[in-house]
Amino acid sequence: MTESKGALRKAALLDAAEEVLVTKGNANAAMRDFAAAAGVRIGHLQHYFPTRADLIRAVLERALERSLQRLNDVTDVDLSPGASGDLEEAESYRLLTALLQEHSDMADVRMHLEIWALAASEDAAAGALRGFYSQYSAHVQGLVRRGRPGLSEQQASAVAAAIVSLFEGAAVTRSGIAGLRTAPGDQAIIRTAQWLIHGQ
């Protein structure tokens, strides 16, 4: 099924707005900047997004949805609570390596930093961010349940939160901003997460 012209125009406006957020940052971007980047008049932009807050919220929600979809694609094993079979260490290594690579794109890191900055001062952004991390953590909890089926739900949730924190922190420190990315460092991150998943 093909998208409507309106949906395509809206997506193009969001693409342009996201590029502005990544390059200029939210604090330095006005509606005219978003419109100019999209090659449209402000009135056209406001037809789809009446206010700057509406536009920013739409960019934020789309970026978080995209991140969750990539997470779902990367961790392509059955993570449902009733899934059978233990998670092999070789499989968890593959999944965690792929997941770490998903945290390596500088544009995505910058986008998430902008989302965090917005969430610090705007309730709507904070709510969207909490929703994202709730789903992200629940997905990782599925890996933990498969790796350590003897854990209680509360324990598995705590381990999952620790893994999410490890990978999210690594996204910033491994970026060009902090410049701490090394192959041995990546291996240490993956092995630490594996230890948390398998408990050994």
Side-chain angles (χ1 to χ4, degrees):
M1 184 174 174
T2 59
E3 289 187 86
S4 69
K5 285 184 180 179
L8 291 172
R9 287 190 187 115
K10 193 172 180 178
L13 293 172
L14 290 173
D15 288 342
E18 187 169 327
E19 180 64 25
V20 170
L21 283 178
V22 167
T23 56
K24 291 182 69 107
N26 177 55
N28 299 314
M31 281 297 268
R32 66 178 175 275
D33 298 309
F34 296 124
V40 301
R41 295 189 307 272
I42 289 180
H44 179 81
L45 180 60
Q46 289 175 322
H47 172 73
Y48 292 95
F49 306 101
T51 68
R52 185 180 184 283
D54 292 328
L55 175 62
I56 298 298
R57 190 177 308 111
V59 171
L60 178 154
E61 288 172 354
R62 189 179 73 152
L64 294 177
E65 285 171 12
R66 191 173 58 229
S67 292
L68 279 175
Q69 185 56 56
R70 284 202 307 264
L71 174 65
N72 291 337
D73 292 343
V74 167
T75 53
D76 58 354
V77 296
D78 184 1
L79 300 179
S80 61
S84 61
D86 291 341
L87 182 68
E88 300 284 337
E89 286 195 43
E91 181 68 355
S92 69
Y93 183 85
R94 181 190 72 78
L95 294 169
L96 291 166
T97 300
L99 185 58
L100 189 62
Q101 288 309 307
E102 286 298 313
H103 288 69
S104 300
D105 182 86
M106 192 58 212
D108 281 342
V109 171
R110 287 181 179 153
M111 186 68 227
H112 277 268
L113 289 174
E114 288 300 321
I115 291 170
W116 268 96
L118 281 165
S121 60
E122 295 183 14
D123 289 342
L129 194 63
R130 282 193 295 272
F132 166 76
Y133 280 112
S134 175
Q135 291 182 67
Y136 181 0
S137 185
H139 210 73
V140 174
Q141 190 173 337
L143 288 176
V144 175
R145 276 195 307 264
R146 293 285 302 274
R148 298 169 72 180
L151 291 183
S152 70
E153 284 301 302
Q154 185 176 16
Q155 291 169 321
S157 176
V159 171
I163 293 170
V164 170
S165 298
L166 173 66
F167 274 69
E168 289 297 289
V172 177
T173 59
R174 294 170 68 251
S175 72
I177 298 169
L180 296 181
R181 183 178 181 180
T182 63
D186 282 0
Q187 286 297 306
I189 292 166
I190 292 165
R191 293 302 186 191
T192 299
Q194 269 199 301
W195 180 84
L196 287 167
I197 287 173
H198 296 286
Q200 48 183 286

